[in-house]
């Protein structure tokens, strides 16, 4: 009982007197002192315990009651290992004795104290467009206060003068929106891995006396698919007191079985142009390394039955169908095809998905690289939209073949000899001349050989109809109605093209 009444300083003096360790918590010191009394006690140790005990109580005053005789140190039984004839305590053999369990009754009835186990904390994923400056509130679980479906969880905090200055002196991304912001992030209470932002149902956020706008839902174009809500950090800065005054935030949420945690952060919001500049600074892959990757892709596989001699890569971005300006891809992607980093960052700034447009696999910002080899090719090859990488790592442009255009000359049909031996004339009245051959009434040319009748298809249909009408009128005047004439196709049909 004397030992149990000692303070930490008394216990340390006692343990130091016998050369024992004085470090540790109070219950550890008490355990060592009790072990000393029961196993390694000597008259000197008893004398020291009594001295410390009397000194402590004499300082308090003479009105302190003395302990009853049965609790005095002399009444404590001695351990058999103590040799009364020896002034030095004997050393106990090393045994596996669980002292806290044996003397747990001296520690308020507790046996072995359970070790302190650090509870894993909820972690949120890092967002490329937000750089964390300070953690104002660690992720804290939203605990329902009753059985109601709609719950409210308040949070009170104040900004430091340094944090206020950071916000006030930051530039504006747009009118009324500072780049340094206080944001609220909400996620599932899951400690197994970093969590993405996830809003609980029926969420509403009130800052001081005003409600803060929360991103709405994206409409779905597919039938039967529910609209999705983009879960992003919620900017609270414009509703907060930028002073030493206390800010009160109240989160209203729906309690439907799932557990959520909220955290407050002071962040600096980045733009796509800033992320692009950072990528150009630290994310360019050397052309020689890209060339080595091409060789590895085209290396002959002895188990493959098909030998790959080259691979084509388009210089057109699959996102916007325009020529690449900053060729980019994720290091985790297996393809050589690139997309434009400018448009990729702009699209993820508006709607963050971070998915590769070529293979539809995750392509986060910290895994993006700029292809140095393809950047060099783009400056050297301006008249082609596609190239081909060869086995040795070299490349060649692939230019589209120009379509052959037809001759502007008029198509001419060469027909057989006219049965009535008439000369075909153009609307101007001149005889038709094709390839130096003149169609004559006798069907012979200048060289005496028979020539084929020629029909000029360039004649206007209206003019030909007028000529036919005139011929019919003449025939009607002379001989009356005549049967219609037909051309003879005895010698085949030849196209001018």
């Amino acid at each position: 009982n004397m030992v149990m009444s000692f303070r930490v300083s008394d216990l340390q003096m006692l343990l130091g007197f016998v050369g024992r360790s004085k470090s540790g918590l109070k219950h550890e010191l008490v355990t060592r002192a009790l072990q000393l009394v029961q196993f390694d006690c000597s008259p000197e140790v008893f004398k020291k315990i009594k001295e410390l005990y009397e000194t402590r109580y004499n300082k308090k005053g003479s009105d302190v009651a003395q302990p009853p005789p049965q609790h005095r140190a002399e009444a404590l039984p001695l351990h058999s290992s103590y040799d009364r004839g020896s002034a030095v305590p004997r050393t106990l053999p090393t045994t596996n004795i669980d002292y806290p369990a044996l003397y747990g009754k001296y520690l308020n009835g507790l046996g072995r104290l359970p070790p302190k186990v650090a509870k894993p904390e909820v972690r949120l994923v890092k967002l490329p467009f937000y750089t964390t400056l300070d953690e104002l509130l660690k992720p804290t679980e939203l605990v329902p206060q009753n059985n109601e479906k709609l719950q409210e969880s308040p949070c009170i905090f104040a900004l430091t003068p340094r944090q206020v200055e950071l916000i006030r002196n930051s530039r504006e991304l747009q009118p009324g929106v500072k780049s340094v912001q206080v944001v609220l992030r909400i996620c599932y209470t899951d400690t197994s891995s970093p969590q993405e932002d996830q809003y609980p149902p029926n969420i509403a956020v009130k800052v001081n006396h005003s409600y803060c706008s929360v991103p709405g839902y994206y409409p779905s174009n597919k039938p039967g698919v529910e609209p999705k809500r983009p879960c992003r950090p919620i900017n609270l800065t414009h509703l907060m007191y930028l002073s030493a005054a206390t800010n009160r935030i109240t989160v209203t949420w729906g309690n439907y079985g799932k557990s959520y945690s909220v955290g407050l952060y002071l962040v600096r919001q980045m733009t796509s142009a800033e992320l692009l500049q950072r990528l150009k600074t630290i994310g360019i892959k050397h052309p020689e390394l890209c060339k080595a990757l091409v060789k590895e892709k085209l290396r002959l596989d002895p188990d493959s039955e098909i030998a790959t001699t080259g691979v084509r890569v388009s210089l057109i971005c699959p996102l916007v169908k325009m020529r690449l300006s900053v060729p980019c891809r994720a290091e985790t992607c297996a393809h050589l095809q690139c997309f434009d980093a400018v448009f990729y960052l702009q699209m993820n700034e508006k709607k963050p998905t971070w998915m590769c447009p070529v293979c539809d696999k995750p392509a986060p910002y910290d895994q993006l690289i700029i292809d140095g080899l393809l950047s060099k090719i783009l400056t050297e090859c301006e008249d082609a939209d596609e190239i081909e990488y060869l086995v040795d790592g070299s490349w060649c442009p692939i230019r589209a073949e120009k379509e052959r255009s037809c001759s502007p000359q008029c198509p001419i049909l060469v027909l057989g000899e006219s049965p009535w031996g008439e000369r075909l004339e153009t609307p101007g009245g001149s005889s038709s001349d094709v390839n130096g051959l003149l169609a004559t009434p006798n069907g012979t040319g200048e060289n005496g050989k028979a020539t084929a009748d020629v029909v000029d298809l360039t004649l206007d249909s209206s003019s030909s109809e007028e000529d036919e009408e005139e011929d019919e009128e003449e025939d009607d005047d002379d001989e009356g109605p005549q049967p219609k004439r037909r051309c003879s196709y005895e010698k085949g049909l030849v196209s001018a093209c």
Side-chain angles (χ1 to χ4, degrees):
N1 287 349
M2 287 183 182
V3 173
M4 289 298 299
S5 66
F6 283 173
R7 296 177 180 176
V8 173
S9 58
D10 299 331
L11 293 168
Q12 289 176 341
M13 289 182 67
L14 175 61
L15 294 172
F17 176 75
V18 296
R20 300 290 182 91
S21 173
K22 300 185 293 183
S23 62
L25 301 177
K26 183 177 181 179
H27 73 272
E28 296 174 346
L29 300 179
V30 171
T31 302
R32 290 187 205 133
L34 292 174
Q35 174 188 348
L36 177 67
V37 170
Q38 295 295 322
F39 290 93
D40 292 338
C41 197
S42 65
E44 289 79 8
V45 174
F46 277 116
K47 184 177 178 181
K48 186 65 176 177
I49 294 174
K50 187 176 180 180
E51 179 185 341
L52 292 171
Y53 183 80
E54 290 176 350
T55 303
R56 175 173 175 268
Y57 279 93
N58 286 337
K59 287 182 179 178
K60 284 190 172 184
S62 60
D63 56 340
V64 178
Q66 294 294 327
Q70 63 270 22
H71 294 294
R72 291 183 180 178
E74 288 81 357
L76 291 175
L78 298 178
H79 194 269
S80 58
S81 63
Y82 173 63
D83 186 0
R84 288 176 173 81
S86 172
V88 181
R90 294 171 57 188
T91 304
L92 288 177
T94 305
T95 55
N96 187 16
I97 302 176
D98 195 349
Y99 295 115
L102 288 174
Y103 302 103
K105 58 184 179 180
Y106 294 105
L107 303 176
N108 299 326
L110 295 178
R112 179 184 293 276
L113 295 177
K116 265 194 172 181
V117 179
K119 186 178 180 181
E121 297 180 350
V122 176
R123 295 166 296 157
L124 286 132
V125 296
K126 293 182 179 180
L127 300 177
F129 287 100
Y130 295 90
T131 301
T132 303
L133 304 178
D134 278 327
E135 189 178 50
L136 305 178
L137 174 67
K138 289 186 177 182
T140 306
E141 186 176 356
L142 295 174
V143 180
Q145 302 300 319
N146 48 48
N147 295 328
E148 298 294 331
K149 291 299 182 185
L150 208 58
Q151 299 285 331
E152 285 190 355
S153 299
C155 168
I156 298 175
F157 75 100
L159 295 172
T160 65
R162 183 187 69 85
Q163 294 167 347
V164 172
E165 287 302 314
L166 282 174
I167 296 173
R168 285 180 175 173
N169 297 333
S170 64
R171 64 185 181 87
E172 288 190 344
L173 299 175
Q174 50 184 296
V177 180
K178 292 283 190 178
S179 58
V180 177
Q181 307 166 359
V182 175
V183 297
L184 176 74
R185 298 186 66 182
I186 309 177
C187 66
Y188 288 128
T189 305
D190 186 356
T191 59
S192 60
S193 61
Q195 297 296 301
E196 296 182 351
D197 292 65
Q198 185 66 47
Y199 297 158
N202 305 328
I203 182 177
V205 180
K206 188 176 182 180
V207 181
N208 296 322
H209 303 290
S210 304
Y211 280 96
C212 183
S213 60
V214 179
Y217 287 88
Y218 283 140
S220 177
N221 298 327
K222 298 180 181 179
V225 178
E226 295 183 0
K228 293 184 178 180
R229 165 178 272 177
C231 298
R232 299 182 180 181
I234 303 172
N235 185 8
L236 313 178
T237 316
H238 59 291
L239 298 176
M240 295 182 58
Y241 301 135
L242 296 181
S243 62
T246 301
N247 293 278
R248 181 183 178 89
I249 299 174
T250 304
V251 179
T252 304
W253 52 285
N255 181 22
Y256 292 96
K258 290 186 178 180
S259 180
Y260 295 86
S261 294
V262 298
L264 282 173
Y265 302 90
L266 184 71
V267 300
R268 186 187 304 278
Q269 185 175 357
M270 313 289 285
T271 63
S272 59
E274 291 172 327
L275 290 187
L276 178 64
Q277 187 59 40
R278 182 188 296 178
L279 185 63
K280 288 181 177 180
T281 305
I282 62 174
I284 298 180
K285 194 166 186 177
H286 195 274
E288 290 300 323
L289 296 177
C290 297
K291 189 174 182 180
L293 180 61
V294 173
K295 290 181 179 179
E296 180 65 22
K297 291 283 184 185
L298 295 177
R299 185 173 58 87
L300 181 61
D301 185 1
D303 297 332
S304 177
E305 298 179 355
I306 302 175
T308 306
T309 58
V311 58
R312 291 190 174 190
V313 172
S314 175
L315 304 182
I316 303 298
C317 175
L319 285 171
V320 290
K321 308 303 179 186
M322 295 174 59
R323 187 177 174 87
L324 293 168
S325 60
V326 184
C328 171
R329 67 173 179 271
E331 279 199 297
T332 53
C333 291
H335 50 79
L336 297 174
Q337 179 65 52
C338 290
F339 47 85
D340 200 304
V342 177
F343 298 109
Y344 184 71
L345 293 176
Q346 289 177 357
M347 292 176 67
N348 281 281
E349 185 177 20
K350 294 180 179 179
K351 185 180 178 182
T353 58
W354 300 105
M355 300 296 290
C356 175
V358 179
C359 61
D360 281 337
K361 293 182 179 179
Y365 176 77
D366 56 358
Q367 293 181 357
L368 296 181
I369 57 105
I370 296 177
D371 192 317
L373 178 59
L374 200 57
S375 299
K376 185 178 178 182
I377 292 173
L378 285 167
T379 59
E380 298 176 0
C381 181
E382 298 181 354
D383 57 345
D385 293 335
E386 193 176 13
I387 62 157
E388 183 177 6
Y389 286 124
L390 303 179
V391 178
D392 59 354
S394 61
W395 62 275
C396 62
I398 299 176
R399 297 179 176 86
E401 296 182 1
K402 296 182 179 180
E403 296 182 0
R404 296 179 180 178
S405 58
C406 293
S407 173
Q409 298 179 358
C410 302
I412 298 175
L413 291 178
V414 180
L415 307 177
E417 184 180 354
S418 175
W420 51 86
E422 294 181 353
R423 177 179 297 180
L424 298 176
E425 296 183 354
T426 62
S430 61
S431 300
S432 299
D433 187 359
V434 182
N435 296 331
L437 299 178
L438 296 176
T440 60
N442 296 329
T444 58
E446 293 180 351
N447 53 5
K449 295 182 180 180
T451 59
D453 292 339
V454 178
V455 176
D456 192 348
L457 298 182
T458 60
L459 297 180
D460 189 44
S461 60
S462 59
S463 62
S464 61
E465 290 177 358
E466 292 176 0
D467 294 342
E468 291 178 0
E469 291 178 358
E470 292 177 359
D471 293 340
E472 290 177 358
E473 291 178 358
E474 292 176 0
D475 294 340
D476 291 342
D477 294 339
D478 299 339
E479 302 177 0
Q482 296 290 333
K484 293 183 179 180
R485 300 173 182 174
R486 296 183 179 178
C487 295
S488 175
Y489 303 98
E490 298 177 357
K491 295 187 178 180
L493 186 64
V494 179
S495 174
C497 293

